[in-house]
PDB file of all heavy atoms in Angstrom:
ATOM      1  N   VAL A  52      35.530 -75.823  14.075  1.00  0.00           N
ATOM      2  CA  VAL A  52      36.558 -75.788  15.117  1.00  0.00           C
ATOM      3  C   VAL A  52      36.432 -74.477  15.881  1.00  0.00           C
ATOM      4  O   VAL A  52      35.926 -73.479  15.360  1.00  0.00           O
ATOM      5  CB  VAL A  52      37.995 -75.906  14.548  1.00  0.00           C
ATOM      6  CG1 VAL A  52      38.211 -77.253  13.895  1.00  0.00           C
ATOM      7  CG2 VAL A  52      38.319 -74.785  13.584  1.00  0.00           C
ATOM      8  N   VAL A  54      38.834 -71.718  17.673  1.00  0.00           N
ATOM      9  CA  VAL A  54      40.225 -71.268  17.672  1.00  0.00           C
ATOM     10  C   VAL A  54      40.399 -70.389  18.904  1.00  0.00           C
ATOM     11  O   VAL A  54      39.672 -69.416  19.092  1.00  0.00           O
ATOM     12  CB  VAL A  54      40.553 -70.491  16.382  1.00  0.00           C
ATOM     13  CG1 VAL A  54      42.033 -70.167  16.324  1.00  0.00           C
ATOM     14  CG2 VAL A  54      40.130 -71.275  15.145  1.00  0.00           C
ATOM     15  N   LEU A  57      43.901 -66.428  20.282  1.00  0.00           N
ATOM     16  CA  LEU A  57      44.241 -65.552  19.167  1.00  0.00           C
ATOM     17  C   LEU A  57      44.755 -64.207  19.651  1.00  0.00           C
ATOM     18  O   LEU A  57      44.310 -63.697  20.691  1.00  0.00           O
ATOM     19  CB  LEU A  57      43.006 -65.310  18.298  1.00  0.00           C
ATOM     20  CG  LEU A  57      42.498 -66.470  17.472  1.00  0.00           C
ATOM     21  CD1 LEU A  57      41.109 -66.170  16.922  1.00  0.00           C
ATOM     22  CD2 LEU A  57      43.460 -66.777  16.340  1.00  0.00           C
ATOM     23  N   VAL A  61      43.768 -60.160  15.380  1.00  0.00           N
ATOM     24  CA  VAL A  61      43.379 -61.083  14.306  1.00  0.00           C
ATOM     25  C   VAL A  61      41.956 -60.780  13.838  1.00  0.00           C
ATOM     26  O   VAL A  61      41.048 -60.582  14.644  1.00  0.00           O
ATOM     27  CB  VAL A  61      43.496 -62.554  14.777  1.00  0.00           C
ATOM     28  CG1 VAL A  61      42.863 -63.501  13.778  1.00  0.00           C
ATOM     29  CG2 VAL A  61      44.956 -62.917  14.978  1.00  0.00           C
ATOM     30  N   THR A  62      41.785 -60.772  12.509  1.00  0.00           N
ATOM     31  CA  THR A  62      40.481 -60.515  11.904  1.00  0.00           C
ATOM     32  C   THR A  62      39.951 -61.781  11.228  1.00  0.00           C
ATOM     33  O   THR A  62      40.695 -62.758  11.053  1.00  0.00           O
ATOM     34  CB  THR A  62      40.582 -59.408  10.838  1.00  0.00           C
ATOM     35  OG1 THR A  62      41.401 -59.884   9.767  1.00  0.00           O
ATOM     36  CG2 THR A  62      41.159 -58.123  11.419  1.00  0.00           C
ATOM     37  N   GLU A  63      38.698 -61.731  10.799  1.00  0.00           N
ATOM     38  CA  GLU A  63      38.125 -62.849  10.051  1.00  0.00           C
ATOM     39  C   GLU A  63      38.893 -63.078   8.750  1.00  0.00           C
ATOM     40  O   GLU A  63      39.089 -64.221   8.339  1.00  0.00           O
ATOM     41  CB  GLU A  63      36.631 -62.594   9.789  1.00  0.00           C
ATOM     42  CG  GLU A  63      35.822 -62.659  11.072  1.00  0.00           C
ATOM     43  CD  GLU A  63      34.349 -62.340  10.888  1.00  0.00           C
ATOM     44  OE1 GLU A  63      33.886 -62.164   9.740  1.00  0.00           O
ATOM     45  OE2 GLU A  63      33.641 -62.282  11.909  1.00  0.00           O
ATOM     46  N   ASP A  64      39.348 -62.008   8.116  1.00  0.00           N
ATOM     47  CA  ASP A  64      40.137 -62.137   6.885  1.00  0.00           C
ATOM     48  C   ASP A  64      41.455 -62.872   7.142  1.00  0.00           C
ATOM     49  O   ASP A  64      41.900 -63.673   6.319  1.00  0.00           O
ATOM     50  CB  ASP A  64      40.424 -60.766   6.271  1.00  0.00           C
ATOM     51  CG  ASP A  64      39.181 -60.135   5.650  1.00  0.00           C
ATOM     52  OD1 ASP A  64      38.212 -60.869   5.349  1.00  0.00           O
ATOM     53  OD2 ASP A  64      39.178 -58.898   5.468  1.00  0.00           O
ATOM     54  N   ASP A  65      42.091 -62.590   8.283  1.00  0.00           N
ATOM     55  CA  ASP A  65      43.336 -63.287   8.637  1.00  0.00           C
ATOM     56  C   ASP A  65      43.084 -64.792   8.765  1.00  0.00           C
ATOM     57  O   ASP A  65      43.871 -65.601   8.266  1.00  0.00           O
ATOM     58  CB  ASP A  65      43.902 -62.773   9.969  1.00  0.00           C
ATOM     59  CG  ASP A  65      44.350 -61.327   9.905  1.00  0.00           C
ATOM     60  OD1 ASP A  65      44.846 -60.893   8.847  1.00  0.00           O
ATOM     61  OD2 ASP A  65      44.204 -60.628  10.931  1.00  0.00           O
ATOM     62  N   LEU A  66      41.996 -65.154   9.424  1.00  0.00           N
ATOM     63  CA  LEU A  66      41.677 -66.571   9.608  1.00  0.00           C
ATOM     64  C   LEU A  66      41.291 -67.230   8.278  1.00  0.00           C
ATOM     65  O   LEU A  66      41.630 -68.385   8.032  1.00  0.00           O
ATOM     66  CB  LEU A  66      40.571 -66.738  10.648  1.00  0.00           C
ATOM     67  CG  LEU A  66      40.982 -66.356  12.065  1.00  0.00           C
ATOM     68  CD1 LEU A  66      39.779 -66.344  12.983  1.00  0.00           C
ATOM     69  CD2 LEU A  66      42.054 -67.289  12.591  1.00  0.00           C
ATOM     70  N   GLN A  67      40.615 -66.493   7.419  1.00  0.00           N
ATOM     71  CA  GLN A  67      40.269 -67.004   6.081  1.00  0.00           C
ATOM     72  C   GLN A  67      41.552 -67.384   5.348  1.00  0.00           C
ATOM     73  O   GLN A  67      41.629 -68.446   4.725  1.00  0.00           O
ATOM     74  CB  GLN A  67      39.496 -65.941   5.302  1.00  0.00           C
ATOM     75  CG  GLN A  67      39.052 -66.378   3.921  1.00  0.00           C
ATOM     76  CD  GLN A  67      37.911 -67.373   3.942  1.00  0.00           C
ATOM     77  OE1 GLN A  67      36.986 -67.239   4.713  1.00  0.00           O
ATOM     78  NE2 GLN A  67      37.975 -68.379   3.100  1.00  0.00           N
ATOM     79  N   GLU A  68      42.561 -66.541   5.445  1.00  0.00           N
ATOM     80  CA  GLU A  68      43.836 -66.798   4.765  1.00  0.00           C
ATOM     81  C   GLU A  68      44.550 -68.018   5.358  1.00  0.00           C
ATOM     82  O   GLU A  68      45.071 -68.853   4.631  1.00  0.00           O
ATOM     83  CB  GLU A  68      44.728 -65.556   4.866  1.00  0.00           C
ATOM     84  CG  GLU A  68      45.990 -65.653   4.053  1.00  0.00           C
ATOM     85  CD  GLU A  68      46.800 -64.371   4.063  1.00  0.00           C
ATOM     86  OE1 GLU A  68      46.193 -63.282   4.136  1.00  0.00           O
ATOM     87  OE2 GLU A  68      48.033 -64.479   4.013  1.00  0.00           O
ATOM     88  N   VAL A  69      44.553 -68.140   6.675  1.00  0.00           N
ATOM     89  CA  VAL A  69      45.224 -69.261   7.336  1.00  0.00           C
ATOM     90  C   VAL A  69      44.587 -70.596   6.955  1.00  0.00           C
ATOM     91  O   VAL A  69      45.283 -71.573   6.684  1.00  0.00           O
ATOM     92  CB  VAL A  69      45.204 -69.085   8.879  1.00  0.00           C
ATOM     93  CG1 VAL A  69      45.619 -70.363   9.583  1.00  0.00           C
ATOM     94  CG2 VAL A  69      46.113 -67.943   9.295  1.00  0.00           C
ATOM     95  N   PHE A  70      43.263 -70.632   6.906  1.00  0.00           N
ATOM     96  CA  PHE A  70      42.546 -71.894   6.683  1.00  0.00           C
ATOM     97  C   PHE A  70      42.090 -72.109   5.237  1.00  0.00           C
ATOM     98  O   PHE A  70      41.382 -73.074   4.956  1.00  0.00           O
ATOM     99  CB  PHE A  70      41.324 -71.961   7.613  1.00  0.00           C
ATOM    100  CG  PHE A  70      41.685 -72.036   9.066  1.00  0.00           C
ATOM    101  CD1 PHE A  70      41.425 -70.969   9.918  1.00  0.00           C
ATOM    102  CD2 PHE A  70      42.293 -73.162   9.597  1.00  0.00           C
ATOM    103  CE1 PHE A  70      41.750 -71.025  11.260  1.00  0.00           C
ATOM    104  CE2 PHE A  70      42.623 -73.238  10.944  1.00  0.00           C
ATOM    105  CZ  PHE A  70      42.346 -72.166  11.774  1.00  0.00           C
ATOM    106  N   GLN A  71      42.522 -71.265   4.311  1.00  0.00           N
ATOM    107  CA  GLN A  71      42.037 -71.339   2.928  1.00  0.00           C
ATOM    108  C   GLN A  71      42.334 -72.658   2.225  1.00  0.00           C
ATOM    109  O   GLN A  71      41.595 -73.064   1.329  1.00  0.00           O
ATOM    110  CB  GLN A  71      42.576 -70.171   2.103  1.00  0.00           C
ATOM    111  CG  GLN A  71      44.065 -70.229   1.833  1.00  0.00           C
ATOM    112  CD  GLN A  71      44.556 -69.001   1.092  1.00  0.00           C
ATOM    113  OE1 GLN A  71      43.762 -68.179   0.645  1.00  0.00           O
ATOM    114  NE2 GLN A  71      45.857 -68.870   0.971  1.00  0.00           N
ATOM    115  N   LYS A  72      43.376 -73.360   2.625  1.00  0.00           N
ATOM    116  CA  LYS A  72      43.743 -74.617   1.961  1.00  0.00           C
ATOM    117  C   LYS A  72      43.166 -75.849   2.651  1.00  0.00           C
ATOM    118  O   LYS A  72      43.489 -76.972   2.284  1.00  0.00           O
ATOM    119  CB  LYS A  72      45.256 -74.723   1.851  1.00  0.00           C
ATOM    120  CG  LYS A  72      45.835 -73.680   0.915  1.00  0.00           C
ATOM    121  CD  LYS A  72      47.313 -73.810   0.741  1.00  0.00           C
ATOM    122  CE  LYS A  72      47.796 -72.717  -0.214  1.00  0.00           C
ATOM    123  NZ  LYS A  72      49.230 -72.620  -0.238  1.00  0.00           N
ATOM    124  N   CYS A  73      42.324 -75.637   3.644  1.00  0.00           N
ATOM    125  CA  CYS A  73      41.680 -76.751   4.338  1.00  0.00           C
ATOM    126  C   CYS A  73      40.380 -77.063   3.606  1.00  0.00           C
ATOM    127  O   CYS A  73      39.406 -76.300   3.715  1.00  0.00           O
ATOM    128  CB  CYS A  73      41.408 -76.386   5.793  1.00  0.00           C
ATOM    129  SG  CYS A  73      42.899 -75.995   6.724  1.00  0.00           S
ATOM    130  N   GLY A  74      40.387 -78.137   2.827  1.00  0.00           N
ATOM    131  CA  GLY A  74      39.227 -78.450   1.997  1.00  0.00           C
ATOM    132  C   GLY A  74      39.005 -77.329   1.005  1.00  0.00           C
ATOM    133  O   GLY A  74      39.930 -76.881   0.333  1.00  0.00           O
ATOM    134  N   GLN A  75      37.772 -76.837   0.947  1.00  0.00           N
ATOM    135  CA  GLN A  75      37.428 -75.700   0.077  1.00  0.00           C
ATOM    136  C   GLN A  75      37.582 -74.365   0.800  1.00  0.00           C
ATOM    137  O   GLN A  75      37.155 -73.333   0.296  1.00  0.00           O
ATOM    138  CB  GLN A  75      35.989 -75.856  -0.426  1.00  0.00           C
ATOM    139  CG  GLN A  75      35.743 -77.106  -1.242  1.00  0.00           C
ATOM    140  CD  GLN A  75      36.568 -77.116  -2.522  1.00  0.00           C
ATOM    141  OE1 GLN A  75      36.612 -76.136  -3.260  1.00  0.00           O
ATOM    142  NE2 GLN A  75      37.246 -78.220  -2.772  1.00  0.00           N
ATOM    143  N   GLY A  76      38.163 -74.403   1.990  1.00  0.00           N
ATOM    144  CA  GLY A  76      38.303 -73.200   2.801  1.00  0.00           C
ATOM    145  C   GLY A  76      37.109 -73.043   3.719  1.00  0.00           C
ATOM    146  O   GLY A  76      36.111 -73.752   3.593  1.00  0.00           O
ATOM    147  N   PRO A  77      37.178 -72.104   4.649  1.00  0.00           N
ATOM    148  CA  PRO A  77      36.079 -71.904   5.603  1.00  0.00           C
ATOM    149  C   PRO A  77      34.798 -71.435   4.913  1.00  0.00           C
ATOM    150  O   PRO A  77      34.838 -70.665   3.960  1.00  0.00           O
ATOM    151  CB  PRO A  77      36.603 -70.809   6.531  1.00  0.00           C
ATOM    152  CG  PRO A  77      38.076 -70.824   6.370  1.00  0.00           C
ATOM    153  CD  PRO A  77      38.325 -71.259   4.963  1.00  0.00           C
ATOM    154  N   ILE A  80      33.236 -67.744   9.365  1.00  0.00           N
ATOM    155  CA  ILE A  80      34.183 -67.435  10.440  1.00  0.00           C
ATOM    156  C   ILE A  80      33.523 -66.410  11.350  1.00  0.00           C
ATOM    157  O   ILE A  80      32.981 -65.408  10.881  1.00  0.00           O
ATOM    158  CB  ILE A  80      35.509 -66.871   9.890  1.00  0.00           C
ATOM    159  CG1 ILE A  80      36.186 -67.893   8.988  1.00  0.00           C
ATOM    160  CG2 ILE A  80      36.427 -66.442  11.030  1.00  0.00           C
ATOM    161  CD1 ILE A  80      37.393 -67.364   8.243  1.00  0.00           C
ATOM    162  N   VAL A  97      35.316 -71.447  13.390  1.00  0.00           N
ATOM    163  CA  VAL A  97      35.551 -71.562  11.951  1.00  0.00           C
ATOM    164  C   VAL A  97      34.813 -72.805  11.469  1.00  0.00           C
ATOM    165  O   VAL A  97      35.033 -73.904  11.988  1.00  0.00           O
ATOM    166  CB  VAL A  97      37.068 -71.660  11.628  1.00  0.00           C
ATOM    167  CG1 VAL A  97      37.287 -71.738  10.128  1.00  0.00           C
ATOM    168  CG2 VAL A  97      37.826 -70.470  12.216  1.00  0.00           C
ATOM    169  N   PHE A  99      33.500 -75.394   8.272  1.00  0.00           N
ATOM    170  CA  PHE A  99      33.931 -75.951   6.989  1.00  0.00           C
ATOM    171  C   PHE A  99      32.806 -76.775   6.376  1.00  0.00           C
ATOM    172  O   PHE A  99      31.831 -77.117   7.044  1.00  0.00           O
ATOM    173  CB  PHE A  99      35.173 -76.842   7.196  1.00  0.00           C
ATOM    174  CG  PHE A  99      36.368 -76.101   7.703  1.00  0.00           C
ATOM    175  CD1 PHE A  99      36.616 -76.010   9.072  1.00  0.00           C
ATOM    176  CD2 PHE A  99      37.248 -75.479   6.844  1.00  0.00           C
ATOM    177  CE1 PHE A  99      37.711 -75.318   9.563  1.00  0.00           C
ATOM    178  CE2 PHE A  99      38.347 -74.774   7.313  1.00  0.00           C
ATOM    179  CZ  PHE A  99      38.580 -74.703   8.681  1.00  0.00           C
ATOM    180  N   ALA A 104      38.092 -81.377   5.957  1.00  0.00           N
ATOM    181  CA  ALA A 104      38.645 -80.026   6.080  1.00  0.00           C
ATOM    182  C   ALA A 104      38.961 -79.706   7.545  1.00  0.00           C
ATOM    183  O   ALA A 104      39.962 -79.056   7.845  1.00  0.00           O
ATOM    184  CB  ALA A 104      37.670 -79.003   5.508  1.00  0.00           C
ATOM    185  N   GLU A 107      42.255 -81.281   8.404  1.00  0.00           N
ATOM    186  CA  GLU A 107      43.358 -80.469   7.886  1.00  0.00           C
ATOM    187  C   GLU A 107      43.571 -79.229   8.754  1.00  0.00           C
ATOM    188  O   GLU A 107      44.708 -78.853   9.044  1.00  0.00           O
ATOM    189  CB  GLU A 107      43.071 -80.049   6.444  1.00  0.00           C
ATOM    190  CG  GLU A 107      43.083 -81.196   5.452  1.00  0.00           C
ATOM    191  CD  GLU A 107      42.690 -80.750   4.058  1.00  0.00           C
ATOM    192  OE1 GLU A 107      43.205 -79.698   3.610  1.00  0.00           O
ATOM    193  OE2 GLU A 107      41.887 -81.446   3.416  1.00  0.00           O
ATOM    194  N   ALA A 108      42.483 -78.605   9.166  1.00  0.00           N
ATOM    195  CA  ALA A 108      42.570 -77.399   9.994  1.00  0.00           C
ATOM    196  C   ALA A 108      43.232 -77.696  11.329  1.00  0.00           C
ATOM    197  O   ALA A 108      44.062 -76.911  11.806  1.00  0.00           O
ATOM    198  CB  ALA A 108      41.173 -76.810  10.206  1.00  0.00           C
ATOM    199  N   MET A 109      42.878 -78.816  11.943  1.00  0.00           N
ATOM    200  CA  MET A 109      43.418 -79.152  13.261  1.00  0.00           C
ATOM    201  C   MET A 109      44.940 -79.306  13.239  1.00  0.00           C
ATOM    202  O   MET A 109      45.602 -79.098  14.253  1.00  0.00           O
ATOM    203  CB  MET A 109      42.760 -80.413  13.806  1.00  0.00           C
ATOM    204  CG  MET A 109      41.306 -80.222  14.207  1.00  0.00           C
ATOM    205  SD  MET A 109      41.055 -79.020  15.522  1.00  0.00           S
ATOM    206  CE  MET A 109      41.715 -79.913  16.921  1.00  0.00           C
ATOM    207  N   LYS A 110      45.497 -79.621  12.085  1.00  0.00           N
ATOM    208  CA  LYS A 110      46.960 -79.734  11.959  1.00  0.00           C
ATOM    209  C   LYS A 110      47.641 -78.377  12.088  1.00  0.00           C
ATOM    210  O   LYS A 110      48.855 -78.315  12.282  1.00  0.00           O
ATOM    211  CB  LYS A 110      47.318 -80.364  10.613  1.00  0.00           C
ATOM    212  CG  LYS A 110      46.880 -81.807  10.492  1.00  0.00           C
ATOM    213  CD  LYS A 110      47.159 -82.352   9.113  1.00  0.00           C
ATOM    214  CE  LYS A 110      46.603 -83.760   8.947  1.00  0.00           C
ATOM    215  NZ  LYS A 110      46.753 -84.252   7.569  1.00  0.00           N
ATOM    216  N   LEU A 111      46.882 -77.303  11.967  1.00  0.00           N
ATOM    217  CA  LEU A 111      47.453 -75.951  12.021  1.00  0.00           C
ATOM    218  C   LEU A 111      47.507 -75.388  13.442  1.00  0.00           C
ATOM    219  O   LEU A 111      47.924 -74.242  13.632  1.00  0.00           O
ATOM    220  CB  LEU A 111      46.650 -75.009  11.118  1.00  0.00           C
ATOM    221  CG  LEU A 111      46.672 -75.360   9.636  1.00  0.00           C
ATOM    222  CD1 LEU A 111      45.744 -74.436   8.858  1.00  0.00           C
ATOM    223  CD2 LEU A 111      48.082 -75.302   9.080  1.00  0.00           C
ATOM    224  N   THR A 112      47.095 -76.167  14.436  1.00  0.00           N
ATOM    225  CA  THR A 112      47.153 -75.675  15.805  1.00  0.00           C
ATOM    226  C   THR A 112      48.595 -75.299  16.155  1.00  0.00           C
ATOM    227  O   THR A 112      49.536 -75.913  15.670  1.00  0.00           O
ATOM    228  CB  THR A 112      46.568 -76.707  16.800  1.00  0.00           C
ATOM    229  OG1 THR A 112      46.280 -76.045  18.030  1.00  0.00           O
ATOM    230  CG2 THR A 112      47.479 -77.867  17.047  1.00  0.00           C
ATOM    231  N   GLU A 113      48.735 -74.263  16.940  1.00  0.00           N
ATOM    232  CA  GLU A 113      50.013 -73.666  17.343  1.00  0.00           C
ATOM    233  C   GLU A 113      50.712 -72.920  16.210  1.00  0.00           C
ATOM    234  O   GLU A 113      51.890 -72.617  16.286  1.00  0.00           O
ATOM    235  CB  GLU A 113      50.942 -74.696  17.991  1.00  0.00           C
ATOM    236  CG  GLU A 113      50.380 -75.243  19.291  1.00  0.00           C
ATOM    237  CD  GLU A 113      51.390 -75.985  20.124  1.00  0.00           C
ATOM    238  OE1 GLU A 113      52.508 -75.467  20.303  1.00  0.00           O
ATOM    239  OE2 GLU A 113      51.054 -77.087  20.597  1.00  0.00           O
ATOM    240  N   THR A 114      49.966 -72.574  15.161  1.00  0.00           N
ATOM    241  CA  THR A 114      50.498 -71.735  14.091  1.00  0.00           C
ATOM    242  C   THR A 114      50.610 -70.303  14.609  1.00  0.00           C
ATOM    243  O   THR A 114      49.670 -69.794  15.208  1.00  0.00           O
ATOM    244  CB  THR A 114      49.552 -71.767  12.868  1.00  0.00           C
ATOM    245  OG1 THR A 114      49.513 -73.088  12.343  1.00  0.00           O
ATOM    246  CG2 THR A 114      50.001 -70.805  11.785  1.00  0.00           C
ATOM    247  N   PRO A 115      51.743 -69.636  14.388  1.00  0.00           N
ATOM    248  CA  PRO A 115      51.842 -68.234  14.819  1.00  0.00           C
ATOM    249  C   PRO A 115      51.033 -67.328  13.888  1.00  0.00           C
ATOM    250  O   PRO A 115      51.057 -67.490  12.673  1.00  0.00           O
ATOM    251  CB  PRO A 115      53.332 -67.920  14.731  1.00  0.00           C
ATOM    252  CG  PRO A 115      53.943 -69.001  13.923  1.00  0.00           C
ATOM    253  CD  PRO A 115      53.000 -70.149  13.865  1.00  0.00           C
ATOM    254  N   LEU A 116      50.291 -66.409  14.479  1.00  0.00           N
ATOM    255  CA  LEU A 116      49.495 -65.456  13.709  1.00  0.00           C
ATOM    256  C   LEU A 116      49.485 -64.128  14.456  1.00  0.00           C
ATOM    257  O   LEU A 116      49.025 -64.059  15.601  1.00  0.00           O
ATOM    258  CB  LEU A 116      48.067 -65.990  13.524  1.00  0.00           C
ATOM    259  CG  LEU A 116      47.101 -65.120  12.725  1.00  0.00           C
ATOM    260  CD1 LEU A 116      47.607 -64.906  11.297  1.00  0.00           C
ATOM    261  CD2 LEU A 116      45.720 -65.759  12.689  1.00  0.00           C
ATOM    262  N   LYS A 117      50.036 -63.116  13.831  1.00  0.00           N
ATOM    263  CA  LYS A 117      50.128 -61.776  14.426  1.00  0.00           C
ATOM    264  C   LYS A 117      50.789 -61.821  15.805  1.00  0.00           C
ATOM    265  O   LYS A 117      50.306 -61.235  16.768  1.00  0.00           O
ATOM    266  CB  LYS A 117      48.767 -61.103  14.469  1.00  0.00           C
ATOM    267  CG  LYS A 117      48.247 -60.793  13.073  1.00  0.00           C
ATOM    268  CD  LYS A 117      47.240 -59.693  13.062  1.00  0.00           C
ATOM    269  CE  LYS A 117      46.922 -59.343  11.605  1.00  0.00           C
ATOM    270  NZ  LYS A 117      45.953 -58.288  11.501  1.00  0.00           N
ATOM    271  N   GLY A 118      51.897 -62.563  15.887  1.00  0.00           N
ATOM    272  CA  GLY A 118      52.721 -62.577  17.092  1.00  0.00           C
ATOM    273  C   GLY A 118      52.285 -63.523  18.188  1.00  0.00           C
ATOM    274  O   GLY A 118      52.844 -63.494  19.279  1.00  0.00           O
ATOM    275  N   ARG A 119      51.294 -64.370  17.920  1.00  0.00           N
ATOM    276  CA  ARG A 119      50.819 -65.280  18.956  1.00  0.00           C
ATOM    277  C   ARG A 119      50.412 -66.609  18.332  1.00  0.00           C
ATOM    278  O   ARG A 119      49.793 -66.643  17.289  1.00  0.00           O
ATOM    279  CB  ARG A 119      49.621 -64.631  19.640  1.00  0.00           C
ATOM    280  CG  ARG A 119      49.267 -65.245  20.938  1.00  0.00           C
ATOM    281  CD  ARG A 119      48.373 -64.318  21.714  1.00  0.00           C
ATOM    282  NE  ARG A 119      47.997 -65.008  22.931  1.00  0.00           N
ATOM    283  CZ  ARG A 119      47.142 -64.565  23.796  1.00  0.00           C
ATOM    284  NH1 ARG A 119      46.547 -63.414  23.589  1.00  0.00           N
ATOM    285  NH2 ARG A 119      46.863 -65.249  24.869  1.00  0.00           N
ATOM    286  N   ARG A 120      50.753 -67.708  19.001  1.00  0.00           N
ATOM    287  CA  ARG A 120      50.367 -69.029  18.522  1.00  0.00           C
ATOM    288  C   ARG A 120      48.966 -69.354  19.025  1.00  0.00           C
ATOM    289  O   ARG A 120      48.691 -69.235  20.205  1.00  0.00           O
ATOM    290  CB  ARG A 120      51.335 -70.093  19.032  1.00  0.00           C
ATOM    291  CG  ARG A 120      52.713 -69.972  18.446  1.00  0.00           C
ATOM    292  CD  ARG A 120      53.630 -71.064  18.976  1.00  0.00           C
ATOM    293  NE  ARG A 120      54.978 -70.863  18.521  1.00  0.00           N
ATOM    294  CZ  ARG A 120      55.452 -71.298  17.360  1.00  0.00           C
ATOM    295  NH1 ARG A 120      54.673 -71.975  16.555  1.00  0.00           N
ATOM    296  NH2 ARG A 120      56.695 -71.064  17.008  1.00  0.00           N
ATOM    297  N   PHE A 121      48.103 -69.769  18.108  1.00  0.00           N
ATOM    298  CA  PHE A 121      46.751 -70.136  18.512  1.00  0.00           C
ATOM    299  C   PHE A 121      46.646 -71.644  18.636  1.00  0.00           C
ATOM    300  O   PHE A 121      47.475 -72.385  18.135  1.00  0.00           O
ATOM    301  CB  PHE A 121      45.697 -69.596  17.529  1.00  0.00           C
ATOM    302  CG  PHE A 121      45.814 -70.111  16.124  1.00  0.00           C
ATOM    303  CD1 PHE A 121      45.310 -71.354  15.771  1.00  0.00           C
ATOM    304  CD2 PHE A 121      46.397 -69.334  15.127  1.00  0.00           C
ATOM    305  CE1 PHE A 121      45.390 -71.828  14.470  1.00  0.00           C
ATOM    306  CE2 PHE A 121      46.488 -69.797  13.827  1.00  0.00           C
ATOM    307  CZ  PHE A 121      45.984 -71.049  13.501  1.00  0.00           C
ATOM    308  N   PHE A 122      45.631 -72.111  19.337  1.00  0.00           N
ATOM    309  CA  PHE A 122      45.370 -73.539  19.441  1.00  0.00           C
ATOM    310  C   PHE A 122      43.882 -73.767  19.227  1.00  0.00           C
ATOM    311  O   PHE A 122      43.077 -72.833  19.275  1.00  0.00           O
ATOM    312  CB  PHE A 122      45.874 -74.124  20.761  1.00  0.00           C
ATOM    313  CG  PHE A 122      45.385 -73.429  21.993  1.00  0.00           C
ATOM    314  CD1 PHE A 122      44.323 -73.938  22.715  1.00  0.00           C
ATOM    315  CD2 PHE A 122      46.000 -72.271  22.447  1.00  0.00           C
ATOM    316  CE1 PHE A 122      43.874 -73.305  23.856  1.00  0.00           C
ATOM    317  CE2 PHE A 122      45.555 -71.625  23.589  1.00  0.00           C
ATOM    318  CZ  PHE A 122      44.488 -72.155  24.292  1.00  0.00           C
ATOM    319  N   MET A 123      43.528 -75.006  18.935  1.00  0.00           N
ATOM    320  CA  MET A 123      42.160 -75.296  18.524  1.00  0.00           C
ATOM    321  C   MET A 123      41.592 -76.518  19.221  1.00  0.00           C
ATOM    322  O   MET A 123      42.318 -77.337  19.758  1.00  0.00           O
ATOM    323  CB  MET A 123      42.116 -75.542  17.015  1.00  0.00           C
ATOM    324  CG  MET A 123      42.481 -74.331  16.202  1.00  0.00           C
ATOM    325  SD  MET A 123      42.358 -74.641  14.443  1.00  0.00           S
ATOM    326  CE  MET A 123      43.756 -75.670  14.166  1.00  0.00           C
TER     327      MET A 123
END
Side-chain angles (χ1 to χ4, degrees):
V52 295
V54 186
L57 289 167
V61 170
T62 65
E63 291 177 6
D64 288 340
D65 294 326
L66 293 171
Q67 182 73 41
E68 187 175 327
V69 168
F70 294 111
Q71 69 184 352
K72 293 183 180 169
C73 300
Q75 299 297 312
I80 299 172
V97 182
F99 297 92
E107 292 176 45
M109 290 298 289
K110 293 176 185 174
L111 297 175
T112 197
E113 296 194 47
T114 296
L116 181 61
K117 293 203 173 180
R119 196 163 177 186
R120 292 181 186 274
F121 62 81
F122 53 99
M123 295 182 287

